[in-house]
Amino acid sequence: VWKWLADRAGLDMVQRNSGLPDDFPEDGPFSVRMSGIDKTASDDDIEKYFEERDVKVKSVEQFDVPRHTARIDFHDKASLEIALQLSGHSLLRRKVKVELWTDDPDAAAAMGAKPLKPYTGPLPEEGPYKVIVRGLDKSVTQRDLGYFFWDRDCECEGVMYPLKNERHAGTVEFKDQESLRKALGLNSAVFKGREITVSIMTKEDNKPEPARRLGSSGGAPGAGGGGKGMGKSRGDDRGMGRREDRGPPSRAEFGSERPRLELKPRSKPMPGDAGYQEDSPPRASGRPDPFGGARYRTTRADADDNWRR
């Protein structure tokens, strides 16, 4: 179709740029690496992701380390070319990244780990030399994050984790530019079973959320957060303690304890008892009787006080 349109317009047909390197072998492997996969996604979900876009999948292999990562093999080079253009689409609840699979025979990490490359981009001339680390596992602590870089010859000066406005992320400040360069070379490294991203921190990172108005959802403004290493909540400063540390209130605290029912012996005999007398009808008055002369009569059910409770 495109060739026919180009011929009709008298133009040369636009050639699509290949996403493969010039020295890519003709016999493959025709494989891609998918990352950022939803934790509930199955192999069938991944296969359907490509086949809905007319790309036939040969095999799918998901990895435990790093998590949320898989290798997908295709039958030919043409399918591989199309698959590489499908990065950034949503698979279930998350957008995935699709890139060419590269084997690293010297890597000591797990098979699904992406080969690391030294950072060669621009660096700030003056401090602070800060990076933001994303994709951290929920079990990571502040000390874990600091020692991850320290054990790899990056001299850390400060670690902030967790961040107030972003989940699974933290910032690390380094002593000098060389430590910053080494840290950026750890982008896509596997840390506690998850692939992390390391990038230079900008002004937009960890930007505070806009203030909420009174009465909006999410709690009262100024309420203390629940993150690790954060300060006390407003309730703690007033000596009230955290809400989850207190037991449920009793009725007595609110003065709403139900009063006990004190029953007294009946002073009037019931029908059939000695001394019982029918109530005399009330004297007639000048006003009409709305009940037509009907009167309430006591029964034996009145003697049982349980039905009144």
Side-chain angles (χ1 to χ4, degrees):
V1 175
W2 292 110
K3 186 177 185 304
W4 179 82
L5 290 174
D7 293 340
R8 295 282 294 179
L11 300 173
D12 294 331
M13 184 174 175
V14 177
Q15 299 295 327
R16 179 180 293 173
N17 293 329
S18 174
L20 300 175
D22 296 336
D23 57 349
F24 185 82
E26 293 296 328
D27 56 348
F30 308 118
S31 309
V32 298
R33 182 178 183 273
M34 177 183 280
S35 57
I37 302 171
D38 189 281
K39 63 182 180 181
T40 63
S42 63
D43 291 354
D44 291 338
D45 293 326
I46 297 174
E47 187 173 345
K48 184 178 179 182
Y49 174 87
F50 290 99
E51 294 189 350
E52 283 181 343
R53 297 164 174 87
D54 299 326
V55 182
K56 188 67 175 177
V57 174
K58 182 179 181 181
S59 64
V60 176
E61 181 184 4
Q62 294 197 64
F63 301 106
D64 292 327
V65 180
R67 291 194 288 271
H68 316 305
T69 306
R71 170 173 173 160
I72 300 95
D73 292 293
F74 303 96
H75 293 277
D76 49 42
K77 187 176 178 180
S79 299
L80 177 62
E81 291 259 21
I82 300 174
L84 290 172
Q85 300 172 22
L86 300 179
S87 182
H89 295 275
S90 293
L91 172 60
L92 299 184
R93 300 172 299 176
R94 297 184 61 179
K95 288 186 177 181
V96 295
K97 183 178 181 180
V98 181
E99 53 193 338
L100 185 64
W101 178 271
T102 54
D103 291 313
D104 187 4
D106 298 328
M111 182 178 178
K114 184 179 179 180
L116 302 181
K117 298 180 181 179
Y119 180 77
T120 57
L123 294 171
E125 297 296 332
E126 299 178 353
Y129 303 108
K130 278 188 174 183
V131 298
I132 183 165
V133 187
R134 294 185 171 94
L136 295 168
D137 187 76
K138 61 182 179 181
S139 65
V140 171
T141 65
Q142 190 177 31
R143 290 175 59 87
D144 293 336
L145 182 57
Y147 276 112
F148 173 79
F149 290 100
W150 183 268
D151 293 340
R152 291 160 177 80
D153 298 327
C154 304
E155 296 189 43
C156 306
E157 286 198 336
V159 178
M160 184 178 294
Y161 178 79
L163 299 183
K164 184 177 181 181
N165 303 308
E166 187 173 352
R167 297 178 61 192
H168 309 303
T171 62
V172 184
E173 182 175 356
F174 300 98
K175 182 179 180 180
D176 49 36
Q177 193 182 76
E178 185 58 29
S179 294
L180 176 64
R181 187 189 304 276
K182 293 178 181 178
L184 292 171
L186 297 172
N187 184 40
S188 300
V190 177
F191 180 35
K192 285 189 177 290
R194 294 191 62 171
E195 185 177 288
I196 61 174
T197 60
V198 183
S199 57
I200 297 176
M201 190 170 179
T202 64
K203 294 180 180 179
E204 297 298 321
D205 291 323
N206 197 30
K207 193 173 182 179
E209 296 178 354
R212 293 191 178 100
R213 298 177 59 185
L214 288 174
S216 63
S217 61
K228 304 174 185 177
M230 303 299 289
K232 295 182 178 179
S233 67
R234 184 173 293 183
D236 293 335
D237 296 335
R238 295 177 180 175
M240 293 188 295
R242 292 186 181 273
R243 180 176 179 179
E244 58 267 24
D245 294 336
R246 293 182 293 165
S250 66
R251 291 179 178 269
E253 292 180 31
F254 294 98
S256 60
E257 192 72 30
R258 177 182 290 180
R260 291 181 177 275
L261 182 63
E262 297 181 4
L263 301 179
K264 296 180 180 181
R266 179 180 282 279
S267 59
K268 188 175 180 179
M270 294 293 295
D273 296 340
Y276 172 77
Q277 293 182 355
E278 287 283 350
D279 292 335
S280 58
R283 295 181 179 180
S285 62
R287 293 179 296 179
D289 185 0
F291 300 104
R295 294 291 177 266
Y296 172 76
R297 298 184 64 183
T298 57
T299 64
R300 290 191 177 275
D302 294 321
D304 185 7
D305 290 324
N306 288 329
W307 73 278
R308 297 178 180 271
R309 298 177 185 174

